[in-house]
Amino acid sequence: MSDDFTEKKLEKLTDKKIDRRKFLGVTGLTAAGILLSGLPKFSEGLFAGTGGSLEKTKLTFGIIPLTDCAPIVIAKEKGYFKKHGLDVTVSKESSWANIRDKVSVGALDGAHMLAGMPIASSLGIGARKKQMITAFSMDLNGNAITVSDELYAQMLQADPEAMKRSPVSAAELKKVIDQHNKSGKEPMTFAMTFPVSTHNYEIRYWMAAAGIDPDKDVRLIVIPPPQMVANLQAKNIVGYCVGEPWNERAVELGIGRTLITNYEIWNNNPEKVFGVNLEWAEQNPNTHLAAVMALIEAAEWMDKPENRLEVVNIISERSYVNAPVDVVKMSMTGTYKYSKKEDPRPLPDFNVFYRYAATFPWASHASWFITQMIRWGQIEEALDIKKMAESVYRSDIYREAAKNLKIAYPTLDYKTEGTHSGGWTLSEASTPIEMGPDKFFDGMSYDPKKLVEYIRGFKVHNMKVSIETLAKLNA
């Protein structure tokens, strides 16, 4: 499928958006002007964080057209990069491979990245090895699994009572897949966005919990996020896991049904990060720190409910997400629509950008992604998981930025997951931080102090690493 074909296809699927100038006129241009005019201005090259010099001021940051590119877009559009002396150009890229490769060779200074991408690049998974780091987590949650209306109808026929429950278990999908495979047909094709994406691990986790082997029972392929809807409509795939607005777009068009969001798979799971290559970070430490500070401030501003509609209108523009405002708004304003015929349901934490220490690069999150790379055979040799996690997820840089901004930050790098069904308080912080639930839908828990035990607990896997050697390296 050519890029030209995809662009034309998507243009047909995209409705007219609200004009941004009209939106600002309605929501209060004066207030926006006050906000921007109130930002301190610094002479070019001077960094407010340390008073030292910025090594580089003209930067290009890459994004993929997804709602969670918002921290980078908002930091530019609302003046946070400028506040910290940075002149940033935002470059919309066509695929995650483009993002990885351009950051690797320095064609991009930094980018909106899948949370597992800096780890995979540092390990040489799927491409030439290049050490990358992240000091800023862009968001929590934001993905979902959507299937075609035809597949949904088959699942409904297989177990009408079970399909009344929400979110939908993959157990109902397994019945359809088993029947399909017994007939001798080619395996059903599902899509995700990249081999080391959260989307890949989430759809695999969801399927495997019901006994579906994603490497044997179905076919999983890679499709860039903006092309998901066109491929579902063309019947090239029967379902996918992707970030917004591409689930809600299928729902709005009446060609797909969302079965489960990744918030429901794992409450407040890590999603994207701001990644740079290590060489660039070491050559431009003040510039990197300034960018992290700007992104933290942007995330804090955009996580306030009163600012979300403005965020929606800005990121919906053609130069960014290029999707109808009404579609982008569905998930970004605290509700989620699972099917065209249903009313939106409350889901206030579907997009979290600042609350719950969302911007902090937890080494425990990095370790979790490494466990999934091991589980599915992407890592073939045993490694020290903690050492790798801490070399990529740089909490030291984040804490320096947070201290400069005088905001609360965690004082530890690891936390358990799957142990809180409701809100809780993180006391191991410069100031206590209110946190959200972190339950897994299958009832499992994750203790970063017991990584090998956690890996051993998965019944469905495609592991190639010696578990005994792994245990010795992670004792």
Side-chain angles (χ1 to χ4, degrees):
M1 181 181 295
S2 70
D3 289 340
D4 287 343
F5 171 82
T6 302
E7 183 67 23
K8 291 175 183 176
K9 187 84 172 178
L10 288 172
E11 284 179 0
K12 291 179 181 178
L13 296 176
T14 305
D15 297 333
K16 185 177 180 182
K17 298 194 293 293
I18 294 173
D19 183 80
R20 188 180 168 201
R21 292 184 180 89
K22 292 179 181 177
F23 178 87
L24 289 174
V26 172
T27 57
L29 182 59
T30 304
I34 290 172
L35 175 64
L36 286 171
S37 65
L39 296 176
K41 296 179 180 179
F42 303 100
S43 59
E44 186 173 347
L46 183 63
F47 176 41
T50 62
S53 297
L54 292 172
E55 300 83 9
K56 188 176 183 181
T57 58
K58 292 187 181 297
L59 307 169
T60 303
F61 294 155
I63 63 164
I64 293 291
L66 294 160
T67 55
D68 56 23
C69 72
I72 291 175
V73 173
I74 296 302
K76 174 178 172 61
E77 293 286 346
K78 299 300 292 182
Y80 291 104
F81 284 137
K82 187 176 181 181
K83 169 186 174 181
H84 291 282
L86 305 176
D87 179 7
V88 173
T89 297
V90 177
S91 175
K92 184 164 72 170
E93 302 296 328
S94 61
S95 69
W96 289 117
N98 272 16
I99 289 280
R100 175 199 61 203
D101 295 344
K102 286 187 176 183
V103 171
S104 181
V105 300
L108 292 172
D109 294 287
H112 172 213
M113 284 189 180
L114 300 157
M117 185 175 283
I119 302 166
S121 180
S122 298
L123 289 169
I125 297 174
R128 182 174 67 89
K129 185 176 180 179
K130 181 70 173 182
Q131 184 73 34
M132 291 190 187
I133 66 169
T134 179
F136 176 80
S137 170
M138 291 184 68
D139 65 320
L140 306 177
N141 314 312
N143 299 336
I145 296 172
T146 295
V147 299
S148 67
D149 282 352
E150 293 83 356
L151 179 53
Y152 184 87
Q154 292 177 52
M155 294 171 67
L156 189 62
Q157 185 177 10
D159 196 333
E161 287 303 311
M163 290 297 286
K164 292 179 182 178
R165 295 191 288 268
S166 182
V168 177
S169 163
E172 287 66 63
L173 176 61
K174 187 176 189 304
K175 295 172 185 176
V176 176
I177 288 172
D178 287 347
Q179 187 63 36
H180 177 90
N181 291 346
K182 283 178 184 177
S183 69
K185 297 177 182 177
E186 287 293 314
M188 292 182 176
T189 302
F190 291 81
M192 41 74 185
T193 67
F194 203 66
V196 295
S197 67
T198 47
H199 318 85
N200 186 27
Y201 303 134
E202 286 160 2
I203 197 168
R204 285 171 173 272
Y205 192 102
W206 178 71
M207 287 182 172
I212 299 169
D213 188 328
D215 289 316
K216 296 178 180 178
D217 298 332
V218 298
R219 181 171 173 246
L220 270 177
I221 65 172
V222 170
I223 295 177
Q227 298 176 22
M228 289 290 191
V229 176
N231 276 278
L232 188 69
Q233 189 171 50
K235 302 186 186 302
N236 296 327
I237 55 176
V238 297
Y240 54 68
C241 183
V242 74
E244 291 307 329
W246 308 117
N247 297 287
E248 295 289 56
R249 188 64 176 135
V251 168
E252 184 66 15
L253 289 168
I255 63 171
R257 306 268 302 229
T258 294
L259 301 181
I260 188 169
T261 67
N262 69 337
Y263 175 82
E264 292 158 321
I265 293 173
W266 173 11
N267 300 160
N268 295 306
N269 61 91
E271 178 49 32
K272 303 293 192 314
V273 298
F274 175 70
V276 301
N277 78 54
L278 178 61
E279 183 181 4
W280 183 93
E282 290 177 341
Q283 290 174 353
N284 304 282
N286 286 342
T287 297
H288 185 209
L289 187 61
V292 171
M293 290 171 65
L295 288 166
I296 291 172
E297 290 188 303
E300 183 177 19
W301 180 84
M302 58 189 282
D303 220 19
K304 296 175 181 177
E306 63 268 26
N307 295 331
R308 279 296 178 92
L309 281 177
E310 186 176 353
V311 172
V312 167
N313 195 75
I314 291 171
I315 67 173
S316 296
E317 291 183 355
R318 185 178 181 83
S319 55
Y320 300 127
V321 177
N322 189 25
V325 167
D326 286 344
V327 173
V328 176
K329 184 173 68 175
M330 285 183 197
S331 64
M332 284 284 283
T333 54
T335 61
Y336 200 88
K337 194 170 184 178
Y338 291 75
S339 77
K340 188 173 180 64
K341 296 179 181 179
E342 293 180 9
D343 291 332
R345 304 178 199 172
L347 203 59
D349 285 345
F350 182 76
N351 285 117
V352 176
F353 294 99
Y354 185 77
R355 290 168 292 130
Y356 312 149
T359 55
F360 186 74
W362 292 96
S364 51
H365 285 168
S367 297
W368 186 86
F369 286 112
I370 295 171
T371 69
Q372 300 309 294
M373 292 173 187
I374 292 170
R375 179 185 185 183
W376 300 115
Q378 293 174 324
I379 293 176
E380 300 185 12
E381 295 182 5
L383 78 167
D384 184 330
I385 298 174
K386 181 179 178 182
K387 182 179 179 180
M388 174 54 63
E390 292 177 2
S391 73
V392 177
Y393 274 47
R394 294 290 299 275
S395 60
D396 57 319
I397 297 172
Y398 180 93
R399 288 192 182 100
E400 185 178 355
K403 289 174 184 176
N404 289 338
L405 294 171
K406 296 180 172 54
I407 63 166
Y409 56 87
T411 53
L412 73 173
D413 293 335
Y414 294 85
K415 65 186 179 81
T416 59
E417 304 288 342
T419 55
H420 301 97
S421 57
W424 58 286
T425 302
L426 177 70
S427 57
E428 294 91 344
S430 58
T431 303
I433 300 172
E434 295 305 309
M435 304 290 284
D438 54 33
K439 297 289 285 185
F440 290 94
F441 84 109
D442 59 358
M444 285 190 71
S445 60
Y446 162 71
D447 185 345
K449 295 179 181 177
K450 302 176 181 178
L451 293 169
V452 176
E453 182 179 325
Y454 180 70
I455 294 168
R456 279 191 173 122
F458 293 115
K459 295 179 181 179
V460 180
H461 62 82
N462 187 21
M463 203 177 341
K464 298 175 183 176
V465 171
S466 163
I467 199 73
E468 290 77 17
T469 305
L470 191 66
K472 289 178 182 178
L473 288 174
N474 293 275

